[in-house]
Amino acid sequence: MNEKSLRVLEWPKIRAQVAERASFSLGKAMVQELTPATDLESVQERLTLTSEALALVWKHGDPPMGGASDVRPAVERAKLGGIIDENQLLSIHGLLYCTDRLGRYMQSAGPNLKEISSGLTSLHSLSDEIVRCIDEEGTVRDHATPELARIRQKQRTLANRIRDRLDALIHSASAQKMLQDPIVTLRG
């Protein structure tokens, strides 16, 4: 289909309206790349998929896309041997959660749509490992590794010793004369 025909059909406006309703950044990008099919076989395939998707939405409601985000930069970084931070791991967990729910949702889809969704793989072990090591705020949990647990325990012990030492120091008779208030304040 040529550019003039697409403009007459207001294809860019239609595409923009559909992209506006997409709930996922990658979906928006894919919509922006859409072009109308021009051969009968492609049109029929797309209509079949649309009919199956519409039936699925009518039967089960909107697809569960919550938690999905674009994790390609983190995956590329990992492929190159780079370090993925806690927030990127939480995003990966969110995508894995969404993939699992979407895979279950698609089980009752029509045959053509179900075939497309067959590539949705649940990676429960990776998802569980992320949750085991990182909390909801993106903080690495103490028990993520035995070494980290040991280091953080040692850090807490040293902080307590320092606090006890400072308390003893400010409550000493010689310090009482120089201090207004016997208070230890931790900053930073």
Side-chain angles (χ1 to χ4, degrees):
M1 197 173 262
N2 64 32
E3 278 299 312
K4 183 179 178 190
S5 298
L6 291 174
R7 274 195 318 273
V8 169
L9 292 171
E10 295 186 339
W11 178 250
K13 287 182 182 178
I14 294 168
R15 196 169 47 193
Q17 287 179 356
V18 173
E20 199 175 288
R21 288 175 172 77
S23 62
F24 184 44
S25 60
L26 292 177
K28 288 178 192 270
M30 288 176 73
V31 168
Q32 292 298 339
E33 300 298 318
L34 282 176
T35 57
T38 55
D39 64 286
L40 182 61
E41 187 177 325
S42 292
V43 170
Q44 287 174 331
E45 285 175 14
R46 289 180 180 189
L47 282 173
T48 300
L49 287 172
T50 302
S51 296
E52 288 180 11
L54 188 57
L56 187 61
V57 169
W58 280 342
K59 186 176 180 182
H60 297 289
D62 290 337
M65 297 299 291
S69 62
D70 186 0
V71 298
R72 291 179 298 178
V75 171
E76 287 303 315
R77 175 178 247 163
K79 280 183 186 177
L80 296 172
I83 296 172
I84 299 174
D85 69 30
E86 301 88 347
N87 292 323
Q88 290 172 318
L89 284 169
L90 284 178
S91 293
I92 291 169
H93 169 69
L95 182 62
L96 294 174
Y97 174 74
C98 175
T99 302
D100 182 54
R101 289 180 49 221
L102 191 58
R104 284 186 270 132
Y105 174 86
M106 298 296 281
Q107 289 303 308
S108 58
N112 299 299
L113 200 54
K114 197 172 188 176
E115 183 180 331
I116 289 174
S117 70
S118 65
L120 293 173
T121 305
S122 292
L123 300 173
H124 292 289
S125 60
L126 177 57
S127 184
D128 292 347
E129 188 65 10
I130 291 171
V131 170
R132 185 187 75 76
C133 295
I134 306 209
D135 68 16
E136 301 81 29
E137 286 82 40
T139 304
V140 177
R141 297 178 192 267
D142 288 355
H143 60 270
T145 67
E147 181 68 10
L148 182 59
R150 187 188 64 72
I151 290 170
R152 286 194 177 162
Q153 179 58 44
K154 188 174 183 180
Q155 188 179 31
R156 282 189 292 273
T157 301
L158 288 172
N160 287 336
R161 283 185 192 164
I162 291 170
R163 202 172 298 114
D164 291 345
R165 176 91 167 129
L166 287 171
D167 279 340
L169 199 83
I170 64 170
H171 288 95
S172 69
S174 61
Q176 290 289 326
K177 296 174 189 172
M178 295 182 271
L179 299 174
Q180 273 187 323
D181 297 313
I183 299 171
V184 174
T185 304
L186 298 175
R187 293 192 179 116

